[in-house]
Amino acid sequence: MAKLELVPGTLILLVLRVLEAGPLHGYAIAQRIGQFSQDALQVEEGSLYPALQKMLMKGWVEAEWGLSDTKRRVRSYSLTAAGRKQLAIERAGYDDVTRAIQSVLKLA
């Protein structure tokens, strides 16, 4: 399957949604997004880590250092209560935009 570009503004939505299932380190977040999209979406480090930093600063995620399965030092991210609220806001906004785009595609 061809790789798709992420629609601007969707990376935070996808990261929050993936973290809803539990804490993950950055590489695992990117892998999970790829896996759930049947490898159609590829998240680059240059986009992911600034987005995670933004989410940390806004209080939507928290982070702690630990060891990966391969015993490498990694920073794991988990969703906060504020992050769960933001996820609901992001999902609703995405649904609204999707409906509006579908209306234009059907009616134009």
Side-chain angles (χ1 to χ4, degrees):
M1 175 181 268
K3 301 286 184 202
L4 303 172
E5 285 190 40
L6 286 177
V7 175
T10 58
L11 180 57
I12 287 177
L13 167 63
L14 296 175
V15 171
L16 291 173
R17 175 61 183 100
V18 166
L19 290 176
E20 190 175 32
L24 292 170
H25 57 82
Y27 179 74
I29 292 169
Q31 291 298 106
R32 195 69 55 92
I33 291 170
Q35 174 188 5
F36 289 150
S37 70
Q38 285 103 29
D39 292 322
L41 300 175
Q42 183 175 349
V43 179
E44 302 294 333
E45 286 183 29
S47 301
L48 177 61
Y49 290 102
L52 286 166
Q53 188 62 33
K54 177 181 177 179
M55 289 185 272
L56 277 167
M57 291 172 44
K58 291 189 175 276
W60 300 338
V61 299
E62 55 192 14
E64 66 178 44
W65 288 100
L67 294 177
S68 71
D69 295 337
T70 59
K71 306 296 182 220
R72 295 181 74 172
R73 191 166 183 254
V74 294
R75 194 170 190 194
S76 290
Y77 299 88
S78 56
L79 206 54
T80 63
R84 291 184 193 289
K85 288 180 185 176
Q86 187 62 32
L87 174 57
I89 292 167
E90 298 280 336
R91 283 179 112 158
Y94 182 79
D95 289 343
D96 291 345
V97 169
T98 301
R99 275 192 294 279
I101 291 170
Q102 288 298 323
S103 290
V104 172
L105 292 175
K106 288 178 185 174
L107 301 175

